[in-house]
Amino acid sequence: MDSITMALSVLVILFVIVVSRKWNQGIPKNFPPGPIPLPIIGNILSIDMSKPYKTFVQLSKKYGTVFSIQIGLSKIVVLCGYDTIKDAMINHGDKFADRPKFKLFSIPTKDHGVMLANGENWKVMRRFTLSTLRDFGMGKKTIEEKIIDEAECLVQKFRSYKGKPFNNLKIFNSAVANIIVAILLSQRFDYEDPTILKLVDLISENIRLFASPLVRLVNNFPLLRHLLPKAPRTFFANFREFNGFLETTFTKHRKELDVNDPRNLIDAFLVKQQEGNLESAQFYNNENLICLVADLFIAGMEATSTTLRWGLLLMMKYLEIQQKVQNEIEKVMGSDHPRVEHRKKLPYTDAVIHEIQRFGDILPANIPRVASQDVTFRGYFIPKGTVVLPLLNTVLKDKLYFKKPDEFYPEHFLDSSGNFQKNEAFLPFSLGKRSCAGETLAKMELFLFFTSLLQNFTFQAPPGVKLDLTPGPGFINAPIPYEFCAIPRR
């Protein structure tokens, strides 16, 4: 070893020692316990980067329902179990309402929109979103009719395959996206329309990219962006292309806008933009509009379509449950179109849909929060600015609330008489101030799409195919792509 190499090695070692000591000195007393981190990189080598929540579940068995993990130089507090997460999100909701900055998302969005925004911007955008979604039909007959019409289009598309095997991924994405498009743009696209297929592909690819171990690494170590540019470059290019479509759409809407008769959410935003008051000038800008529409598009499409894909896969896996659902639908509705009012008369079907959401565990780690102020929680001190991760997987599979947490068991939502029974630990949409703004819409979509499909088809695996319930890679728990046969029942 020459003298220059030796000197560099000594400098690196000294740097690591200094950084480690400085970091350890900065850890407050009574901070949640956790595994001992390595200098600089923290615990990253011991984390399953394709499914981090699995590592966290294992750590909770050793350290309890409140513990810490270090990724790079960032300390993260992980919350587990229904009781702990409810305590944090409800009783301490104001202290855990903020979002951390995601390096890769912050570059193209600049923290606009609603999903990752904070402070007054988040409050204004969330208030606008909730009120406008209600105005344009969320939870009302108007949107119910749109979903019923879209469900019929989906049924006809399935019929076109005449019982032969096909993959449902893009079809479900397009069908669910059409409901969001109706609210945002007052449009509907055919399932083969290149516009909707492109939009769906851009969103799906970015969700896949953001969940990849490489992009997770770059997000936690931003300097690596310049050394590993390919994935982040594609991520940003997709954002720009999606935003370009939105900007073109906004331009068209501005030309056709009637301030006295807004047709959809984008029109309502443009009306706000023209009010000329302080709030309008500060928050109703083009950047917020683009990010808000993107947030709603992403949230409105991916989770619902993924849940429906889990639903059909589970019905093929458990044919006796599929038969019971079909028998109940036949008894209550016959050949009539399913409507929301039928839900109360279909307790078993309702229980199955709830269990699909619980078992599917679509967003196991939720979107992280950040402590907006110093807080003492369950005996531990969590400083302002600390990232806090509520692990929804440990809620939906909490043994204290679900008898068979690792099995598909619709009886989790039925009483001894077969009546539908709510379970307080059923929180696929999270809870508190950051719960999903589109929860009511998603529930309506799931019920109407699922019952329409089970009313019209029996779902079977292609001959010789073994069904796999293992989720694919990514931070969203989605089924591995599969083909199925939709056998018409009439």
Side-chain angles (χ1 to χ4, degrees):
M1 181 182 293
D2 58 42
S3 58
I4 294 176
T5 303
M6 182 177 293
L8 287 173
S9 300
V10 171
L11 285 173
V12 169
I13 293 170
L14 288 173
F15 174 74
V16 169
I17 291 172
V18 169
V19 170
S20 301
R21 284 182 175 177
K22 185 177 180 180
W23 177 250
N24 288 328
Q25 288 171 358
I27 298 175
K29 291 181 179 179
N30 219 27
F31 193 72
I36 298 173
L38 293 171
I40 309 286
I41 62 173
N43 303 111
I44 198 165
L45 295 180
S46 61
I47 297 174
D48 178 352
M49 292 302 287
S50 64
K51 294 287 185 183
Y53 78 91
K54 291 185 176 181
T55 304
F56 300 156
V57 169
Q58 292 303 313
L59 289 172
S60 70
K61 295 176 182 178
K62 179 177 181 180
Y63 295 104
T65 62
V66 182
F67 67 91
S68 63
I69 192 85
Q70 185 175 324
I71 300 179
L73 296 177
S74 299
K75 280 282 188 182
I76 298 172
V77 172
V78 182
L79 307 179
C80 300
Y82 171 69
D83 294 335
T84 297
I85 291 176
K86 179 185 177 184
D87 189 11
M89 300 299 107
I90 300 298
N91 300 330
H92 299 80
D94 290 337
K95 299 169 186 175
F96 295 125
D98 285 351
R99 295 284 195 212
K101 283 186 178 292
F102 293 91
K103 304 296 189 301
L104 289 184
F105 270 117
S106 293
I107 292 171
T109 68
K110 297 180 174 60
D111 302 319
H112 286 99
V114 68
M115 190 181 297
L116 301 177
N118 286 315
E120 196 62 26
N121 189 91
W122 167 67
K123 291 178 183 177
V124 172
M125 288 299 100
R126 182 174 174 84
R127 187 166 60 245
F128 168 80
T129 301
L130 289 171
S131 64
T132 308
L133 286 176
R134 283 194 296 268
D135 290 343
F136 289 103
M138 188 172 75
K140 298 179 182 178
K141 288 285 185 182
T142 49
I143 199 65
E144 181 182 3
E145 295 299 332
K146 285 186 172 65
I147 299 171
I148 290 171
D149 290 344
E150 193 63 44
E152 181 57 31
C153 292
L154 192 62
V155 166
Q156 295 309 316
K157 181 64 178 178
F158 278 27
R159 284 192 189 282
S160 70
Y161 290 95
K162 299 179 180 179
K164 295 180 180 178
F166 67 98
N167 188 309
N168 61 12
L169 175 57
K170 288 192 176 183
I171 300 172
F172 268 147
N173 281 345
S174 297
V176 176
N178 267 334
I179 305 303
I180 302 301
V181 168
I183 295 172
L184 298 177
L185 309 174
S186 302
Q187 285 183 249
R188 183 192 177 274
F189 295 101
D190 290 333
Y191 298 148
E192 289 79 19
D193 190 302
T195 300
I196 192 69
L197 290 175
K198 186 62 177 178
L199 292 177
V200 164
D201 283 346
L202 289 172
I203 291 171
S204 297
E205 184 176 31
N206 263 14
I207 289 173
R208 180 184 59 79
L209 283 173
F210 192 72
S212 69
L214 180 61
V215 171
R216 286 175 186 268
L217 195 64
V218 173
N219 199 52
N220 287 294
F221 299 93
L223 290 176
L224 293 178
R225 179 184 163 207
H226 305 289
L227 301 175
L228 305 167
K230 185 176 180 181
R233 189 186 298 135
T234 304
F235 187 82
F236 296 140
N238 288 345
F239 254 109
R240 287 193 297 271
E241 189 169 355
F242 186 80
N243 290 355
F245 166 80
L246 296 180
E247 288 172 353
T248 301
T249 302
F250 302 158
T251 301
K252 179 182 177 182
H253 274 248
R254 282 192 178 91
K255 292 178 181 178
E256 301 172 351
L257 180 65
D258 181 350
V259 294
N260 297 312
D261 185 25
R263 300 158 298 176
N264 47 54
L265 185 140
I266 290 178
D267 277 5
F269 193 102
L270 295 175
V271 169
K272 283 281 190 181
Q273 200 173 64
Q274 295 183 17
E275 286 181 354
N277 54 36
L278 182 61
E279 183 178 88
S280 170
Q282 188 172 357
F283 300 110
Y284 288 90
N285 48 58
N286 289 348
E287 291 80 5
N288 256 331
L289 178 54
I290 288 172
C291 291
L292 176 61
V293 171
D295 286 347
L296 292 174
F297 211 107
I298 293 167
M301 182 194 80
E302 193 67 26
T304 301
S305 63
T306 300
T307 304
L308 288 169
R309 290 175 58 225
W310 273 119
L312 296 195
L313 182 60
L314 289 162
M315 292 304 95
M316 292 189 292
K317 183 74 171 178
Y318 301 103
L319 292 174
E320 72 284 0
I321 294 177
Q322 179 177 186
Q323 184 66 59
K324 288 180 71 173
V325 169
Q326 290 171 328
N327 290 344
E328 187 178 62
I329 290 173
E330 190 75 27
K331 179 180 177 181
V332 172
M333 296 181 302
S335 59
D336 293 343
H337 280 304
R339 307 196 73 90
V340 172
E341 65 193 37
H342 290 129
R343 190 197 304 265
K344 292 182 179 179
K345 300 177 183 178
L346 298 168
Y348 187 77
T349 302
D350 202 8
V352 167
I353 294 171
H354 279 69
E355 182 66 357
I356 290 167
Q357 291 179 269
R358 188 203 68 82
F359 182 86
D361 189 22
I362 307 300
L363 198 61
N366 206 347
I367 302 176
R369 312 288 182 92
V370 67
S372 57
Q373 56 185 280
D374 291 348
V375 55
T376 298
F377 178 71
R378 297 218 155 189
Y380 297 111
F381 178 70
I382 302 174
K384 178 181 178 179
T386 303
V387 175
V388 177
L389 182 64
L391 210 59
L392 284 187
N393 166 272
T394 63
V395 176
L396 295 176
K397 298 194 175 181
D398 193 324
K399 294 179 180 178
L400 296 177
Y401 293 88
F402 297 103
K403 183 179 179 180
K404 300 180 180 181
D406 297 317
E407 297 180 25
F408 184 70
Y409 187 65
E411 286 74 11
H412 284 139
F413 299 94
L414 294 169
D415 65 17
S416 57
S417 301
N419 300 311
F420 179 79
Q421 178 175 262
K422 290 184 178 180
N423 189 312
E424 60 182 313
F426 177 73
L427 298 176
F429 301 100
S430 191
L431 76 170
K433 295 179 180 294
R434 287 280 187 170
S435 61
C436 177
E439 178 177 348
T440 302
L441 176 62
K443 288 179 177 179
M444 186 183 286
E445 288 177 301
L446 289 173
F447 177 76
L448 293 175
F449 279 128
F450 183 77
T451 51
S452 294
L453 291 172
L454 269 292
Q455 181 185 50
N456 285 277
F457 303 99
T458 293
F459 295 97
Q460 298 175 357
V465 172
K466 185 178 180 181
L467 298 174
D468 187 357
L469 298 183
T470 305
F475 71 91
I476 287 180
N477 273 342
I480 296 169
Y482 63 89
E483 288 193 334
F484 67 96
C485 301
I487 311 300
R489 299 182 67 220
R490 52 186 174 168

